[in-house]
Structure formats: structure tokens, C-alpha cells
Amino acid sequence: MEDAALALTGIGLLALICQWLAWQLRVPAILPLLIAGIAAGPVTGILEPDAVLGDLLFPMVSLAVAVILFEGALTLDFRELRGHGHTVSRLVTWGALVTALIGIAAAHWVLGLSWKMASVLGALLVVTGPTVVLPLLQSLRAREHVSQILRWEGILIDPIGAIGAVLVYEYVALGASNGAATHTLFSFAQTAVIGFGLGTAGGYLWGSVLRHYWLPQRLHSFGTLMVMLTLFTASNQLFHESGLLTVTVMGVWMANMRGVPTQPILEFKETLSILLISGLFILLAARLSLEQLGLLSWQAWVFLVILVWVARPLAVWLCTLSSSLNWREKALLAWLSPRGIVAAAVASLFAIRLETLDVPGAELLVPVTFLVIISTVVVQSLFSRPLARLLKVDAPTPSGFLIIGANPVARAFGKVLQEAGFTVRLCDHNWDAIQEARMAGLSTYYGNPLSEHASQHLALTGLGHLLPLSPYRELNNLAALHFEHVLGHGNVFRLAVESSRSARRHHQQALAHLPLLFDGHTTFTRLSSLISRDAVIRTANINDSFGIEDYRRIHQNRLLTLFTISTSGRIRIATAEKPLNPKAGDLLISLIFPDSPEF
């Protein structure tokens, strides 16, 4: 017991280090997690998952994969599938089918697998997933429409590919255990009926419970987890290995059921998934043996080449035939298809089960999947940015604004910046504020900008600056620290605070390296008070005969300079460290105070 506790604690600490390292290097977390697991397992022999967990290993992996699939399915809103163009819809349907068929053929003819095992491997390696695509897009900085296609393909292919892989696995596993083709088809029909029936019923009934708040809101996330795991276990009891299909269908049903508050559940599941995924991948990578790695002959590398250089380009070409994309943009789409977390987790689970059934070729499932994952993530992380430059599909240096908050202050700033030609996106968890911003024609993100959901759904394309204009000081601070790593030093700012001396000291210590907005004394409270009392943001053209001092004199010095925009379109933000000094030809943006003695 003590050895198990020590091993699990060590896995947790190692997972934390890997997640931090991935954040620092801006690479998908799966890469350092898998490398750490291989180093701890087959390379050094420090970690032996089977010895540590024994008979608990398979149940733990099964439950963890069920949670991962359910969380992915919970994000599959069919309205989003319809709302992102024909190219995305084709890539996640026909494109996935083409990739799977070519992968199946290559697995059979190149790797020598039976058609059944080849079908499992081909179906598994369709999935890319947001956890590997989105970090690459942050460093890639491709044109916005190309980034959006890749982003939504990664998000939507996750649950769609998982459903396909589970269905193929169910058929193969049943065939291996039952033998006769007729019996296999009958058993598969039973699995489909139980999976779709129990998943649909569970999704509808539990969705009704959440929609009508028959359970306290604080228990929604915990209740959903327990109901999902109960259905998973019950489904497996009714018919062996039908649980994965049940929880996937349940998640998809709840995602598309009107009025179900899934956002808090997703936030809870995100934290849980990080914990499960991190530990799971170290464990699974550590289970790899040197003998399994030795199975990766030249045929495995040929299979990888076919998957990357034949299946993906052909799928992209077919799915973009009638699109407006040029050949350079299509080439970048064809290049970027890293495999991800769902593929590795589900492959490991399937392999454990199929090996116990003595299915020939099951021992190749994990090493080949890990080869594809590591190769595609490493190579595409290194060469995607240079390729985008070579193809001339990289976007210019982003100059837009991510604004934390959608309150009247944030809306006023967002409106004037948008009118000046800059991309603007407002983030807030207040639905009424988001609605007001949308009615004002501003782009928004509804939710917590620091959440895992935001990392997948908050599009940062074209955004190069962050303005913290939320009334919540801690949110402003955390957002500034979080996005500085993404947007770069000097592009993230902080507001002055008015509070106790100790709070100011803590604020200054934590954020002292960030530029202080405007005159260094303006707080959110003051901005909100000015806006509420009819202060307005105005623009003025500065020239040789009309300088900043003339402008101040006209308004009797009742103004706060905010931004200047040069004739080349470059924007400068006023800070305490670098006050604005407008030159002839600049456009000056200022907050003009009301004509009142109070100001």
C-alpha cells in the first residue's frame, strides 16, 4: 500500500511538471507526458504500473477513458457543426472516413494486421483533438480562416472519431469472443441497442434533472459524474464492453438538449480530465515494454508515412474541392494533423482488452499509435511555423485586443477600437453583459477566459494585446498573468488598484513587470464612474497646427489619453511608464470627462 501511495504521488508530481513544461514550451501536454512515462517505465524501470496497481489497472483505465470520452462528447453541439462551413463539416465526416479507410488498408497490407485489427487501428488514428491542435495554432499564427478550420476540426473530430472507434472496437471484440459471424453481428446489435438506448435515456433523464434544477446546483457536476459512471458500469453489466458507447451517446445527447446548463459541468470535467489524462498517460507510456518498442519495424514507419503524406492530403483535397481556399492554404491544412489524447487513451484500453482475448496483432496497437502521436506532434510542432511562412499563409503580427470584461467600460473601449479597424473580442461570464456587447456588434466569448473550455473555444487569432477591464481585480490579475505567456511581454497590461496598502503591495509584487495602463492612477472604479456620468471616448487627428496641448486646452485638460494610431496603422497604448507623445499624422483616442466640477 505504501509503495502504491508513493508511486501515485510521484506520478502526480511528474504530471504537474510535465504540464508546466508544456505550458512553458507551448507544446501539447501529451508530448512531455508520454516522454516522461517512457523514461520512467521501459527506459529506467522505475515505474511498473502492473506491479503497482495490479488488478485495479484495467478498471482505472476504463473509468478514466469513460470520463475523457464523455467530456469530449459533451462538447459536440450539432449547431456548431452546421455553423462552421462546408469545409469543416466535410473534414469531420467524409474526411474522417477517407482517412480511416486508407489507414485500414495500410494497416492490413503494410503492417500485416488482420482486417479486424486494421479496422480498429485505422478508426483510432482518425482523431486529432483540440489538446494537440490548439497549442500548435497558437505558435502557427496562420490566416484566420485557416486557423478556424483547423481549430473547429480538432474540436469536433474528437467526439465524432471516438464514436466511430468505439463502434469498430465493439464489433472486433465481440467477434473475437464469440467467433461465429452471425453471433458477432447479433452481439453487436445488442451493444448498439444498449449503448444508444441507455445513453439516450440517461442523457434525457439526467438532462431533465439539471434543466429543472431538481438537484442543487452545487451538486450538478458531482451528480453528473456519478450518474455517468453508474450508467457506464450498468451498461457493461448488461452487455460486456458497451459502456463506452453508452457514455459517449449520453454526452452527445446532453450537449444538444436545450436548456441543460452544461458549462459548470464542463469546467468541473476539465479539471478532472487534466488530472486523469496526466496520470493516465504516464501510466500507459510506462506500460510500454522494450519488446513492444522493438516491434516498430520499417513497416511501422511506412504506415506512418502513408497516414501523414497520403491519407491526410487526399482527405483535405476531396473535402475542399468546392471551397475558396487556394493551394497554399490547402497544403497547410494537409500538413497539420497531429494525433492526440483520445487516440492514445482509447488505444491503450482497447489493447488491454484485445490482448486478453488473444486477438492477433493487438500487441501492435499501442506502440504504433504512440509512434504516430509522438512523430506527428514533434515534427509538426517544429516545422508548421516555417512552412506557413514558406507558403505565405501566415498572418501579420496580431494587433487586436482581448478585453477581459463586457461591462459598459469594456464595451466603450471595444467599440472605439473596432471602429479604428482592430479586431476586438470581449470575455465575460455575465450573460447580460455579453448580450449587450453582441447587440453593439462586438465579438464575444461567454465564460471564464482562464478555463480549459476557453483554451479550446476562445479564438485568439488576430489578437495581440490584453486589456483587463473587468470589475473583478483577481480575474484581471490572473488573466494578465495567464495570457502574457501567449501574447508576449509588453502586450499585456494592468490597471491601478485602490484598496488597502497590503493589497496594493501584493498587487505590485505579483504584476510589477506588467505595464501600468494610462496615467498609472486610473482604476476600474474611476473608469466606470466616468463612463456612467457621460464621459465619452473620442478621436482627434493630430497635425502640425493642432497638437496635443491644443487638444488639452480645448477640453480644459479634462481628458485621459488612451491610444495613438500612426499613419501606418500601428497602435500605442498609454502607460505610466511610457506616456503618449502624439506626432503629426497620429490619431489620438482619449476619454473626455463630463463638463462638471467633480472631474
Side-chain angles (χ1 to χ4, degrees), residues 171-347:
Y171 181 77
V172 172
L174 291 170
S177 59
N178 295 323
T182 304
H183 193 190
T184 298
L185 288 171
F186 179 72
S187 299
F188 180 70
Q190 284 182 283
T191 301
V193 169
I194 291 173
F196 281 98
L198 198 57
T200 300
Y204 174 76
L205 293 174
W206 187 247
S208 299
V209 170
L210 299 181
R211 183 168 59 185
H212 294 97
Y213 291 90
W214 292 335
L215 191 73
Q217 191 168 5
R218 61 188 175 85
L219 294 178
H220 279 196
S221 298
F222 174 67
T224 300
L225 175 65
M226 296 315 301
V227 168
M228 183 271 295
L229 292 178
T230 300
L231 284 175
F232 172 74
T233 305
S235 182
N236 281 339
Q237 292 295 319
L238 288 172
F239 200 86
H240 196 56
E241 297 301 324
S242 63
L244 292 178
L245 181 58
T246 297
V247 298
T248 305
V249 172
M250 178 185 175
V252 173
W253 186 276
M254 289 179 62
N256 292 276
M257 188 174 175
R258 293 185 179 276
V260 178
T262 58
Q263 187 61 36
I265 299 169
L266 277 171
E267 291 178 0
F268 172 75
K269 290 289 191 301
E270 286 161 5
T271 304
L272 184 62
S273 291
I274 291 174
L275 174 65
L276 291 175
I277 287 168
S278 301
L280 183 64
F281 281 101
I282 291 176
L283 279 172
L284 296 178
R287 286 191 78 248
L288 283 170
S289 64
L290 294 176
E291 290 76 16
Q292 284 180 305
L293 296 176
L295 294 173
L296 296 175
S297 59
W298 63 268
Q299 288 95 335
W301 292 96
V302 172
F303 173 77
L304 171 65
V305 170
I306 292 174
L307 204 63
V308 174
W309 291 101
V310 178
R312 176 64 177 181
L314 181 59
V316 169
W317 178 72
L318 290 173
C319 294
T320 57
L321 279 176
S322 60
S323 72
S324 59
L325 298 172
N326 59 46
W327 72 267
R328 290 186 171 91
E329 293 165 340
K330 292 179 182 180
L332 186 62
L333 289 177
W335 163 256
L336 199 63
S337 60
R339 268 51 177 188
I341 281 170
V342 171
V346 177

Side-chain angles (χ1 to χ4, degrees), residues 403-404 407 409-410 413 466-473 476-477 480 492-498 504 507-508 511 514-528 560 562 573-574 576:
I403 299 178
I404 306 301
N407 51 74
V409 175
F413 275 73
L466 180 135
L467 295 180
L469 297 178
S470 163
Y472 305 105
R473 185 181 65 210
N476 287 338
N477 294 349
V492 174
F493 304 87
R494 61 187 171 110
L495 271 176
V497 297
E498 50 181 22
R504 282 197 302 271
H507 179 267
Q508 290 168 356
L511 305 172
L514 298 180
L516 189 58
L517 280 171
F518 312 131
D519 58 3
H521 306 292
T522 300
T523 64
F524 176 83
T525 303
R526 183 164 186 251
L527 286 173
S528 181
L560 176 68
L562 306 175
I573 298 99

Side-chain angles (χ1 to χ4, degrees), residues 575-597:
T575 64
E577 296 80 6
K578 293 182 179 179
L580 295 179
N581 183 25
K583 300 177 181 179
D586 285 354
L587 181 70
L588 175 66
I589 302 177
S590 306
L591 180 66
I592 309 299
F593 303 165
D595 187 9
S596 166

Side-chain angles (χ1 to χ4, degrees), residues 378-435:
V378 171
V379 172
Q380 294 176 17
S381 294
L382 291 175
F383 296 107
S384 291
R385 180 66 174 157
L387 180 63
R389 289 199 193 101
L390 181 65
L391 293 172
K392 297 181 180 179
V393 294
D394 54 330
T397 302
S399 58
F401 287 81
L402 176 65
I403 299 178
I404 306 301
N407 51 74
V409 175
R411 295 199 297 270
F413 275 73
K415 193 69 176 175
V416 72
L417 288 168
Q418 184 170 275
E419 289 173 352
F422 294 92
T423 302
V424 173
R425 189 155 293 115
L426 279 61
C427 305
D428 208 310
H429 59 267
N430 184 315
W431 179 246
D432 292 335
I434 288 290
Q435 288 286 71

Side-chain angles (χ1 to χ4, degrees), residues 138 141 144 148 151 398 400 402 423 425 427 454-455 457-466 482-483 486-487:
Q138 289 181 359
R141 290 183 177 176
E144 184 169 5
Q148 290 287 24
R151 177 170 164 264
L402 176 65
T423 302
R425 189 155 293 115
C427 305
S455 71
H457 292 80
L458 173 54
L460 297 177
T461 307
L463 306 181
H465 307 91
L466 180 135
H482 176 77
F483 286 101
V486 177
L487 302 178

